[in-house]
Amino acid sequence: MLYCTANAIRQAYAETDDDIREAIERGENPLIDISVSYDGTWQKRGFTSLYGVGVCIDLLTGLVVDFNIRSKYCHACHIQKAESMNANDLAVWKEQHDCCTNHHKSSKSMEQDSAVILWNRSVAKYNFRYVEMLSDGDSSAFKAVLESKPYADKAVTKLDCINHALKRMGTALRKLAKESHLGGRGVGRLTEKKCDSLHNFDRGAIIDNIPDVYKMRNAVWAGLYHSMSTDTEHHHRQCPLGENSWCWYQQAVSLGQDPDRNSNHKASTFLSLEVAHKLIPIYRRMSDEYLLQRMAHGGTQNNNESLNAMIWARCPKTNFMGLGRVKGSVARAVSIFNAGANELINVMNKMHISYVTLNNLKKRSMIKELFSLTLLAKRIIEKEERLFL
């Protein structure tokens, strides 16, 4: 299944690159550099899980390229330890036993180890190089990949998920409001609602200006300066110009009108100068040029989050599951994610497994209902005949 997906990805990149297309037309299998989003997920909440899954999803097509399952538990080994076996018999048994355990470190390190495995086998398996890695703020997996040096002549670069970066900003705003006592009642206070408004404003500032890093940076700062403007001090120089600007001040200037009083346009993001100045370090981190460059692609890990939900819907985190159940759940989720529910029918056909379609179920239901009505009618007729006798 994944090899079919790899062919689809190869064709997609051929449409964007003439060299790749010409190589494929010549019957070659060219080495292709692709960008992937990577995320790890665990069967149990917290870092005590016995199973973990690392998944790579191609950013261009949104298809799962590869995945790796890590296991810290083998049920057969667990049973043998519970039984009384001498050392010689246990050694013989272990030589013949195909152990399910492939991870002997902490559960948290499953994400890192899976990433190293996936990156180091990408060329041998698909002739792909995952040269860009979109991941969350935790760079442990990225560092592990860099240290493994999967591609001798090509470095792997990190991309940041926009959602995770903005989430970190929102967390920083709420933490600052709580620790510095900037919230509460009063004009210009950093309330929970204003934290949400600033968070949403910065989301728009980044997404609306992708991929121009300079515009993204200016738009982020424009939100803070606009929020701290007063009647005596206007800070609208970084707001977008023109009559279609979201800034009421720049709208008035572009129309040749005198700007209205700032107090008449108090937005939900209005901040006092004291509060706004304390937000500057957070905005400096958010407007860091290196961070914005890593977000200029405009990608997120939404596909990974969606796949994770599909996996654990088939293998609930609340129940203990064996490795076989986890493998089956991952395979089914990836199959449906890449090709839809019809792919399951194709797999069942190849395995010669019979199934009943919805139309057949409806037909069976109608026949069953008709049969029930026939029996009911027969009983009524028999009852009436007995009454007349």
Side-chain angles (χ1 to χ4, degrees), residues 280-299:
I280 290 178
I282 296 176
Y283 273 79
R284 281 177 180 166
R285 293 197 300 270
M286 192 64 202
S287 61
D288 179 71
E289 185 176 356
Y290 182 54
L291 174 62
L292 294 178
Q293 286 175 353
R294 300 200 306 267
M295 293 193 294
H297 55 87

Side-chain angles (χ1 to χ4, degrees), residues 26-98:
R26 292 194 300 267
E28 300 175 2
N29 183 20
L31 180 65
I32 302 177
D33 294 341
I34 69 173
S35 303
V36 299
S37 62
Y38 175 77
D39 191 28
T41 181
W42 290 263
Q43 199 270 332
K44 185 179 179 181
R45 294 177 179 87
F47 292 120
T48 59
S49 178
L50 298 176
Y51 308 106
V53 185
V55 182
C56 284
I57 298 180
D58 175 50
L59 289 181
L60 179 64
T61 61
L63 298 175
V64 177
V65 188
D66 202 1
F67 62 86
N68 179 257
I69 301 173
R70 311 301 294 165
S71 171
K72 293 177 62 177
Y73 178 78
C74 177
H75 191 61
C77 292
H78 180 73
I79 293 175
Q80 290 299 328
K81 288 179 181 179
E83 295 180 355
S84 56
M85 290 183 65
N86 57 55
N88 293 332
D89 292 342
L90 185 61
V92 173
W93 179 83
K94 283 187 176 181
E95 290 179 359
Q96 301 173 350
H97 169 58
D98 184 13

Side-chain angles (χ1 to χ4, degrees), residues 162 166 169-170 173 193-209 215-227 235-236 238-240 245-248 267-271 283 286:
I162 293 178
L166 291 168
M169 179 193 177
L173 289 173
K193 185 177 180 180
K194 287 182 181 178
C195 288
D196 292 337
S197 298
L198 291 171
H199 175 269
N200 293 331
F201 183 91
D202 283 348
R203 175 184 293 276
I206 291 173
I207 294 176
D208 293 344
N209 293 285
K215 289 183 178 179
M216 290 164 64
R217 186 176 185 277
N218 280 349
V220 170
W221 280 107
L224 178 62
Y225 283 119
H226 181 87
S227 299
H235 300 283
H236 302 284
Q238 287 187 301
C239 296
S245 173
W246 51 261
C247 175
W248 56 268
S268 59
T269 57
F270 175 73
L271 300 169
Y283 273 79
M286 192 64 202

Side-chain angles (χ1 to χ4, degrees), residues 187 226-231 234 236 245-252 257-271:
V187 179
H226 181 87
S227 299
M228 60 190 289
S229 296
T230 62
D231 291 334
H234 295 291
H236 302 284
S245 173
W246 51 261
C247 175
W248 56 268
Y249 185 90
Q250 293 294 354
Q251 284 182 6
Q257 302 172 355
D258 292 331
D260 200 357
R261 291 176 57 84
N262 191 81
S263 55
N264 295 334
H265 295 274
K266 284 185 179 178
S268 59
T269 57
F270 175 73
L271 300 169

Side-chain angles (χ1 to χ4, degrees), residues 272-337:
S272 66
L273 292 176
E274 177 189 0
V275 173
H277 281 298
K278 292 186 178 181
L279 299 186
I280 290 178
I282 296 176
Y283 273 79
R284 281 177 180 166
R285 293 197 300 270
M286 192 64 202
S287 61
D288 179 71
E289 185 176 356
Y290 182 54
L291 174 62
L292 294 178
Q293 286 175 353
R294 300 200 306 267
M295 293 193 294
H297 55 87
T300 66
Q301 286 186 299
N302 288 347
N303 283 339
N304 292 85
E305 300 294 342
S306 176
L307 179 62
N308 294 346
M310 292 175 64
I311 291 173
W312 304 125
R314 291 159 175 77
C315 186
K317 293 188 175 186
T318 54
N319 301 332
F320 173 78
M321 301 292 177
L323 181 60
R325 175 69 179 272
V326 175
K327 286 183 176 180
S329 300
V330 174
R332 279 183 289 147
V334 170
S335 175
I336 294 173
F337 186 88

